[in-house]
Amino acid sequence: MKDVLHPRPNPIIAAMYTLRDLDVDVILMHGPAGCGFMAARRLEEAGVRVMTTGMQENDLIFGAEEKLVRILKNIDDRFHPRIIGVVGTCASMIIGENLDGAVKKAGVKATVLPVDVHGCSGPNTSGAIRTLEVAAEKGVISEKERDRQKNMLTRATAIERERGLTSQEYLEPHPGATKLAVGMEVVRVLRQGGRVAVALNAKKETAYGFADIMRAVQYAREKVGGETVYIGNLDPEVGLPRIRRYATNILRDLDEAGARPSILTGGLDEYPVAGEPASRALEGCRADLRIVAGLPHAVPGLRAEDILVTDQPRELRNYINQGYLRSVGEINTHAEVMSTDKVLYCELGNTIREIVDGGLA
């Protein structure tokens, strides 16, 4: 059995992000004050209140059920939330806290989703799946949507094991190729009358960053000529409410830029399966240059000369080790997209614009 040594997401954080996608008003972490701190900050930027029971040493010995009950009542009285998510942590798991029992004892007006996960529950997707199961049990989503989401998450786990971050024992972070070199190639192909295809296969909110590449390529085409094809997993009718809003907002902005995808490959939560129709679309469009952004390793049939764009330095190392030397990092994407409702400018996009405006290629 292979040991994967580099850090990767865990089920607690995946549960928190899934609760956000369910449009909960408050996430209550039942654990120490610092548990999930960085994720909590980002989720608060997305408009979700994140709180903690702040377990102390005595709670680890005598239990913290009464504290959880008291804080749940306090949150209900203070904020009048519609839905509260209670997320377990390693600490509450070790002492065997009964989240369901505490929620029933609190008897608050809000719908409460107790998600009993911890950092050792398995792949990060196990936290998302547990959250979806609880949401279906409480009637927040349908059983059909739960099953669709579970299928996506199971496929995502398999892709990571086969081609992604857990396919290698250790991956050293890598900054990727320079945006200037890649951007000049994009503009050169367009200026020579070639066809550039951009395929977006992004995970949820990160699409707000990666979609700018379509706008930038369209900007370059209008300035220097050439042909373009846009492909994206931006179906606004698929996914949880927040995810459908993301797709609607992004399509609106791409429309304004004249870069609306002619081929939709699925929803923003369908990146594990949307890669296959994206691959077929790329093959069919006979492009002279192909750009794949988001999670490129979920798109089969990549070529060594493709431009791959992602936001994770270890994934960049993974791509470059496999011979995809035109892999580019948009490292700040996830931090920047959390509070937005519109497509943001990305570094590769701005580099393409600068090259065109400066006559550099």
Side-chain angles (χ1 to χ4, degrees):
M1 183 176 179
K2 179 179 64 183
D3 293 317
V4 179
L5 304 178
H6 51 264
R8 54 200 188 280
N10 77 29
I12 298 170
I13 306 304
M16 296 171 71
Y17 271 82
T18 305
L19 287 166
R20 176 208 60 175
D21 295 343
L22 289 164
D23 274 343
V24 306
D25 303 290
V26 178
I27 296 173
L28 176 59
M29 303 288 293
H30 189 37
C35 189
F37 174 65
M38 290 305 295
R41 286 181 60 178
R42 289 185 175 179
L43 289 168
E44 290 194 312
E45 291 171 2
V48 181
R49 296 181 191 275
V50 183
M51 302 179 188
T52 176
T53 54
M55 293 174 70
Q56 302 292 311
E57 285 183 336
N58 281 348
D59 298 323
L60 300 179
I61 298 169
F62 300 110
E65 181 176 324
E66 292 304 319
K67 178 181 280 188
L68 176 56
V69 170
R70 182 175 72 248
I71 293 175
L72 268 174
K73 289 180 176 177
N74 189 350
I75 290 171
D76 199 49
D77 292 340
R78 183 186 293 251
F79 302 110
H80 311 294
R82 184 176 59 91
I83 306 177
I84 304 171
V86 178
V87 179
T89 63
C90 299
S92 61
M93 177 273 296
I94 289 170
I95 63 173
E97 289 283 86
N98 182 356
L99 299 188
D100 289 310
V103 169
K104 290 175 183 173
K105 195 171 181 180
V108 297
K109 297 175 184 175
T111 298
V112 183
L113 307 180
V115 185
D116 195 1
V117 297
H118 52 81
C120 306
S121 298
N124 66 314
T125 48
S126 66
I129 289 173
R130 181 58 191 146
T131 305
L132 294 162
E133 289 172 340
V134 174
E137 290 168 8
K138 299 289 185 179
V140 175
I141 61 172
S142 68
E143 293 182 357
K144 182 179 179 181
E145 177 64 13
R146 174 202 61 194
D147 293 343
R148 189 189 69 83
Q149 296 266 351
K150 286 175 68 174
N151 180 47
M152 292 302 112
L153 292 161
T154 302
R155 293 288 298 272
T157 302
I159 288 172
E160 287 306 310
R161 284 175 178 160
E162 293 167 5
R163 292 171 259 165
L165 288 178
T166 54
S167 65
Q168 305 292 323
E169 184 178 64
Y170 181 71
L171 290 165
E172 188 86 32
H174 193 289
T178 68
K179 278 93 176 171
L180 180 61
V182 170
M184 289 185 73
E185 179 64 9
V186 172
V187 178
R188 184 189 67 78
V189 170
L190 288 172
R191 190 182 293 280
Q192 293 176 350
R195 177 178 294 174
V196 175
V198 184
L200 179 76
N201 194 54
K203 182 179 180 180
K204 301 181 180 179
E205 66 274 12
T206 61
Y208 278 122
F210 295 121
D212 184 51
I213 297 168
M214 294 183 183
R215 298 194 304 184
V217 169
Q218 181 64 21
Y219 180 85
R221 176 198 172 183
E222 292 171 359
K223 294 281 186 177
V224 304
E227 300 178 21
T228 52
V229 178
Y230 304 121
I231 302 159
N233 61 323
L234 290 166
D235 189 334
E237 303 300 323
V238 175
L240 300 177
R242 179 180 285 261
I243 303 307
R244 295 200 300 271
R245 286 201 301 275
Y246 292 167
T248 300
N249 293 340
I250 291 168
L251 287 173
R252 174 202 63 205
D253 292 354
L254 292 179
D255 268 337
E256 289 180 1
R260 186 183 182 92
S262 58
I263 302 170
L264 296 183
T265 55
L268 279 172
D269 60 4
E270 292 188 314
Y271 59 93
V273 297
E276 294 179 6
S279 177
R280 291 194 293 272
L282 284 168
E283 287 296 325
C285 72
R286 297 189 299 277
D288 300 292
L289 181 64
R290 313 190 320 174
I291 304 172
V292 184
L295 293 168
H297 60 283
V299 179
L302 295 175
R303 302 171 182 169
E305 63 271 22
D306 288 341
I307 294 171
L308 310 185
V309 188
T310 193
D311 63 335
Q312 300 185 44
R314 295 184 194 280
E315 206 71 87
L316 286 168
R317 170 68 69 182
N318 190 24
Y319 298 162
I320 286 171
N321 286 353
Q322 294 178 49
Y324 302 111
L325 302 183
R326 290 174 167 177
S327 296
V328 177
E330 292 287 346
I331 307 303
N332 295 327
T333 298
H334 213 169
E336 292 176 349
V337 298
M338 292 300 287
S339 60
T340 188
D341 60 0
K342 61 185 179 182
V343 174
L344 303 178
Y345 290 102
C346 70
E347 291 183 11
L348 177 58
N350 282 337
T351 303
I352 291 171
R353 295 180 180 95
E354 286 180 355
I355 291 168
V356 170
D357 291 340
L360 301 178

